[in-house]
Amino acid sequence: MSGTATAPLRDAALADLQSLKRRHPDAFRTLDRRRVAGLFAVFAALALLCFGLWRLGFSPGLLLGGLGQLAWFTGLMLPPDPGSWSILLSTLTGLGETLAIAFLGTGFAALLALPVSLLAARNTTVSGAVRFLTRRSLDTLRGVNTLIWALIWIGVVGLGPFAGVLAIVTIDVGTLGKMFSEAIEAADGRAAEGITSAGGGALHRIRYATLPEVMPVLAGQALYLFESNVRASTIIGIIGAGGIGLQLSEMIRTLEWRAVSFIILLILVMVALIDWLSARLRRAIAGEAPGQTA
Amino acid sequence: MEAALTLDQVSRRFGDRIAVHEIALTIPAGSFVGVIGRSGAGKSTVLRMINRLAEPSSGRIVWRGEEVTALRGKQLRQWRARCAMIFQQFNLSARLDVMTNVLAGRLAKVPARRSLLGLWTEADRAIALSALERFDIGELAALRADRLSGGQQQRVAIARALVQEPEIILADEPIASLDPRNTRAVMDALASINREYGITVLCNLHSLEIARAYCNRLVGLAGGHLVFDGAPEALDDAAAEDLYGLNRPRSAAADATALIEPRPALPQGAAAFQH
Ligand SMILES: Nc1ncnc2c1ncn2[C@@H]1O[C@H](COP(=O)(O)OP(=O)(O)OP(=O)(O)O)[C@@H](O)[C@H]1O
Ligand SMILES: [Mg+2]
């Protein structure tokens, strides 16, 4: 269609082809430097992958044999069945405990992370040095896995859900502190400037401009982390930090495969429920956030 | 009338760009001064320096014999409270209600423990509400600021400025994002504050027409230099042309800026991308 309309441009361009090539040599090259570098990176990544598979002794034969095992286990697991009322009861208690660990852990982490993140954000911190130190500390908290924190806290307060809560608080102060501070830095500074211009100080800016603006974002982030902590805290039970993981590992050890599948089923249901609930909540908070002026 | 505000050779540099160049200006109390000039002329920078949202690179700003540019800490905050600022984008806290936004104008007047907890006295609330009613938006007090139209938000911002009980109001293009009707409402609000309370108003304006209609004195900036200062009637077409650089290749002021640029390649309109 546009062929006729742009004919003059096309004719002019083709007539000028040689001199255009001379003026913009790079634009006519198919294999420019960037592409070569890109191809090289892809090949390097593939080579690394192959090396890794070889080095870790990955063998398709073993995997195929293992698949047979997997089918065998699946057979043993069907149908899911708690076996006895007492196991059903302890499973439900375990689930409740897992939920409580995730809830308390994330909640306390959010409460602690809020003041810390204010120190870590460029626009609300008291000084560059404080900001640097806070950020590095948050990195340290975050850099150690939840399981390791759980082991450490078990050493301090003993076995049980308390250690689990502390483990989640520890790592999530790191995670949320970092996420919060980034949300705070992304806040648009106009409202804060308005407060400054009226004679407000740093705390006034935080209270009347920054926090009202970023609160929905922070709440959404905390909810999302709660969601993922419900999933994560099933596992810390295995090492004795409370929750459903304990029952699960017990059943695996005693080869009660039907009970295992029953527990896993319940975990899946709970996780799905929490995900659904938290997603709805987050959407409600986010939907209410931007200025929907009529 | 006594000289209330004095700018004494005030300059502001951003890197090697001179945004404001040795401005000297004396403004009597109670004036309604329009600051005009094209985009990038330095209008916002001048206002922001007076409120101390920006620091002058050199020069002094004096208000009633008190050197504003020397204030620190608590005194600086008190000065900002006495020198209210109104912004083109309103700068309200979008998610807080209108009432709280207006009460924020009283932050510097109450002890921090009360303001931070939001424990406003009845007097504070009464002042805020009467300011809102003054601009016909009293019934919006409970609404969230981001539910309001631009014109309503700007009137909330003016109410916030007014409850600061300021001695001077600086308005940085307060009508640039408003329609003609809201423009009138906002400019009338500023004019009435100026008339009834004798509060000095300094207002950056893009529209010459509005500037002529409302101001009793115009100050023209070009390339950071003061190039016009006089009554609105004195700003004839030739002067306006000079100020806005219409049809003319450049003013003397633009020449001066060009000299400071290390590379000559910057087009004249380059500053227009900044706000
Ligand atoms: N924070 C800043 N950093 C760097 N340069 C700045 C900054 N603020 C302003 N400038 C520069 O200072 C000059 C004056 O800017 P200013 O905002 O005062 O102009 P203005 O007259 O208010 O323009 P407009 O009408 O577009 O608002 C411009 O050249 C701008 O690029
Ligand atoms: Mg401006």
Side-chain angles (χ1 to χ4, degrees), chain A residues 20-62:
Chain A
L20 274 172
K21 273 188 173 172
R22 227 176 314 109
R23 271 176 284 148
H24 309 279
D26 290 339
F28 288 91
R29 210 167 284 154
T30 355
L31 261 189
D32 60 5
R33 185 125 24 100
R34 282 242 301 283
R35 260 212 204 156
V36 171
L39 281 175
F40 183 77
V42 168
F43 278 121
L46 279 177
L48 194 65
L49 181 70
C50 293
F51 173 76
L53 289 177
W54 167 75
R55 189 72 183 74
L56 294 179
F58 185 89
S59 98
L62 267 179

Side-chain angles (χ1 to χ4, degrees), chain B residues 19-20 36-44 46 221-225 243 271:
Chain B
V20 172
I36 53 177
R38 53 193 242 195
S39 212
K43 307 182 295 294
S44 300
V46 167
L221 299 182
H225 292 248
L243 194 56

Side-chain angles (χ1 to χ4, degrees), chain B residues 11-241:
Chain B
S11 299
R12 168 71 210 214
R13 278 180 291 278
F14 290 105
D16 47 16
R17 173 192 293 275
I18 297 202
V20 172
H21 185 77
E22 294 183 357
I23 300 254
L25 198 60
T26 304
I27 291 170
S31 337
F32 196 120
V33 179
V35 182
I36 53 177
R38 53 193 242 195
S39 212
K43 307 182 295 294
S44 300
T45 308
V46 167
L47 255 54
R48 294 168 64 81
M49 284 192 292
I50 298 174
N51 183 278
R52 291 280 306 276
L53 284 174
E55 292 300 316
S57 307
S58 63
R60 295 183 326 143
I61 297 171
V62 178
W63 175 258
R64 300 207 159 117
E66 184 179 7
E67 189 177 342
V68 169
T69 31
L71 299 178
R72 295 276 169 273
K74 172 107 180 144
Q75 280 185 315
L76 171 58
R77 286 183 44 202
Q78 292 298 344
W79 162 247
R80 287 190 175 130
R82 289 159 61 197
C83 160
M85 185 108 184
I86 294 164
F87 303 85
Q88 180 180 342
Q89 297 299 330
F90 327 129
N91 292 21
L92 301 175
S93 283
R95 296 177 47 81
L96 295 181
D97 59 27
V98 165
M99 183 70 177
T100 312
N101 269 292
V102 176
L103 283 168
R106 304 204 54 82
L107 282 177
K109 295 210 168 0
V110 301
R113 85 195 112 79
R114 272 209 282 122
S115 60
L116 288 174
L117 293 174
L119 301 174
W120 302 99
T121 62
E122 283 200 333
D124 287 328
R125 289 173 198 274
I127 294 170
L129 280 169
S130 72
L132 282 171
E133 282 188 351
R134 197 171 194 292
F135 303 124
D136 300 322
I137 44 174
E139 72 282 6
L140 304 181
L143 284 185
R144 252 169 57 172
D146 58 4
R147 294 280 188 272
L148 270 50
S149 76
Q152 291 168 333
Q153 290 193 42
Q154 193 59 295
R155 276 178 281 165
V156 173
I158 297 179
R160 174 174 73 188
L162 191 59
V163 303
Q164 290 176 230
E165 300 178 86
E167 295 159 43
I168 175 171
I169 289 186
L170 309 169
D172 190 3
E173 287 173 32
I175 53 169
S177 39
L178 303 182
D179 67 18
R181 203 167 136 254
N182 279 308
T183 293
R184 280 205 68 84
V186 164
M187 288 310 293
D188 287 346
L190 284 175
S192 73
I193 292 174
N194 172 252
R195 233 182 6 255
E196 288 163 36
Y197 302 112
I199 296 175
T200 311
V201 176
L202 226 71
C203 186
N204 285 354
L205 290 165
H206 261 149
S207 153
L208 259 189
E209 208 180 319
I210 299 283
R212 283 196 172 109
Y214 284 92
C215 306
N216 53 33
R217 178 174 165 194
L218 294 182
V219 168
L221 299 182
H225 292 248
L226 189 93
V227 295
F228 178 86
D229 184 4
E233 305 79 53
L235 189 78
D236 53 17
D237 286 350
E241 209 172 81

Side-chain angles (χ1 to χ4, degrees), chain A residues 23-267:
Chain A
R23 271 176 284 148
H24 309 279
D26 290 339
F28 288 91
R29 210 167 284 154
T30 355
L31 261 189
D32 60 5
R33 185 125 24 100
R34 282 242 301 283
R35 260 212 204 156
V36 171
L39 281 175
F40 183 77
V42 168
F43 278 121
L46 279 177
L48 194 65
L49 181 70
C50 293
F51 173 76
L53 289 177
W54 167 75
R55 189 72 183 74
L56 294 179
F58 185 89
S59 98
L62 267 179
L63 187 61
L64 280 177
L67 279 181
Q69 286 290 98
L70 204 61
W72 166 245
F73 273 129
T74 315
L76 284 182
M77 285 185 175
L78 288 175
D81 178 11
S84 75
W85 283 107
S86 70
I87 293 183
L88 175 64
L89 204 68
S90 71
T91 304
L92 290 179
T93 330
L95 276 179
E97 206 171 272
T98 295
L99 210 57
I101 292 173
F103 181 73
L104 291 176
T106 322
F108 278 116
L111 283 182
L112 291 173
L114 185 62
V116 177
S117 64
L118 289 170
L119 293 178
R122 199 179 329 103
N123 46 346
T124 50
T125 191
V126 286
S127 81
V130 168
R131 172 166 184 256
F132 177 82
L133 285 177
T134 319
R135 291 188 89 88
R136 290 292 84 78
S137 320
L138 290 176
D139 288 346
T140 314
L141 292 182
R142 214 155 23 97
V144 179
N145 188 283
T146 321
L147 273 182
I148 307 206
W149 280 122
L151 284 173
I152 294 175
W153 282 116
I154 286 174
V156 178
V157 300
L159 289 170
F162 188 40
V165 171
L166 287 176
I168 288 190
V169 169
T170 322
I171 189 158
D172 282 0
V173 165
T175 312
L176 284 176
K178 165 111 171 158
M179 283 162 81
F180 284 4
S181 73
E182 258 148 38
I184 290 168
E185 284 183 0
D188 135 280
R190 279 185 307 211
E193 190 173 61
I195 298 295
T196 312
S197 79
L203 287 175
H204 291 131
R205 277 194 291 278
I206 291 171
R207 159 77 171 77
Y208 283 98
T210 314
L211 282 188
E213 188 183 334
V214 299
M215 234 9 163
V217 181
L218 306 195
Q221 291 174 338
L223 264 176
Y224 176 76
L225 212 62
F226 168 63
E227 216 176 287
S228 95
N229 276 337
V230 172
R231 282 174 257 133
S233 57
T234 55
I235 204 174
I236 58 176
I238 293 178
I239 58 166
I244 188 72
L246 187 64
Q247 279 83 357
L248 192 58
S249 61
E250 201 82 334
M251 293 300 124
I252 292 176
R253 214 170 308 133
T254 53
L255 306 178
E256 303 269 0
W257 293 110
R258 285 171 166 198
V260 169
S261 64
F262 179 76
I263 294 177
I264 290 177
L265 208 65
L266 280 192
I267 293 176

